[in-house]
Amino acid sequence: MAMVTSLSIFSAGLYLHKRTSVLAALMFVAAAFNIALNYLLIPHFGIFGSAIATFAACTALAVGAWWASKKLLTVTFPWRSLSKFSILSGLMYLAIVHLSIESRIGTVALQVALGSLIYSALVLATDPPSRQIFFKLIGRIRTENQP
């Protein structure tokens, strides 16, 4: 899903310079790639193989669009931030994935609550701009509550 969403960012130069025919050709190639990978992977991995094929095709499409578009428009992308927050999300997932209680709704509520707390703590511990905003917010709350 993230790869498909990033397509609009990576292909901005193609849209702005009215080179959408290049994007259409890339989509055709990605669709053919997806079909070929599905043919190869589904017999061995089932629906998981289809998921892998779709992810690979969407990734190839995003990379191809970025490659074709970068000559027309340079788009800087915050790769370091994306990587950092992806790692933090993965750590949070690892912390909550095995949490379980008898009720499914209770399990989801517990995972959401603890996941939110864990992710927030990780972000505050590793991201100075977020920490600065947090402490500024705490300061405002304190001054509003003083007589």
Side-chain angles (χ1 to χ4, degrees):
M1 191 73 159
M3 288 300 154
V4 174
T5 304
S6 67
L7 183 62
S8 61
I9 296 168
F10 292 143
S11 60
L14 297 173
Y15 285 115
L16 291 173
H17 290 276
K18 300 186 187 320
R19 304 272 313 271
T20 53
S21 61
V22 173
L23 191 56
L26 289 169
M27 287 183 180
F28 178 79
V29 170
F33 183 53
N34 190 9
I35 291 168
L37 285 177
N38 273 309
Y39 180 77
L40 293 171
L41 296 176
I42 288 175
H44 300 288
F45 302 105
I47 197 164
F48 187 65
S50 180
I52 292 169
T54 301
F55 178 76
C58 289
T59 301
L61 175 60
V63 169
W66 168 77
W67 186 260
S69 184
K70 75 176 186 166
K71 299 169 188 163
L72 303 170
L73 176 70
T74 303
V75 176
T76 57
F77 199 76
W79 292 109
R80 181 173 287 184
S81 293
L82 178 65
S83 299
K84 176 173 67 173
F85 292 114
S86 295
I87 290 168
L88 296 180
S89 297
L91 291 172
M92 180 269 304
Y93 171 78
L94 291 173
I96 67 166
V97 69
H98 296 295
L99 292 176
S100 165
I101 57 177
E102 290 181 24
S103 162
R104 286 186 184 184
I105 292 174
T107 297
V108 170
L110 177 66
Q111 288 176 332
V112 168
L114 285 177
S116 298
L117 289 172
I118 291 167
Y119 184 75
S120 297
L122 289 170
V123 168
L124 290 174
T126 61
D127 189 52
S130 296
R131 196 168 37 249
Q132 183 181 13
I133 291 169
F134 175 76
F135 286 122
K136 191 181 289 187
L137 177 64
I138 294 298
R140 283 186 184 172
I141 291 171
R142 284 183 179 165
T143 57
E144 288 178 6
N145 291 332
Q146 291 180 354

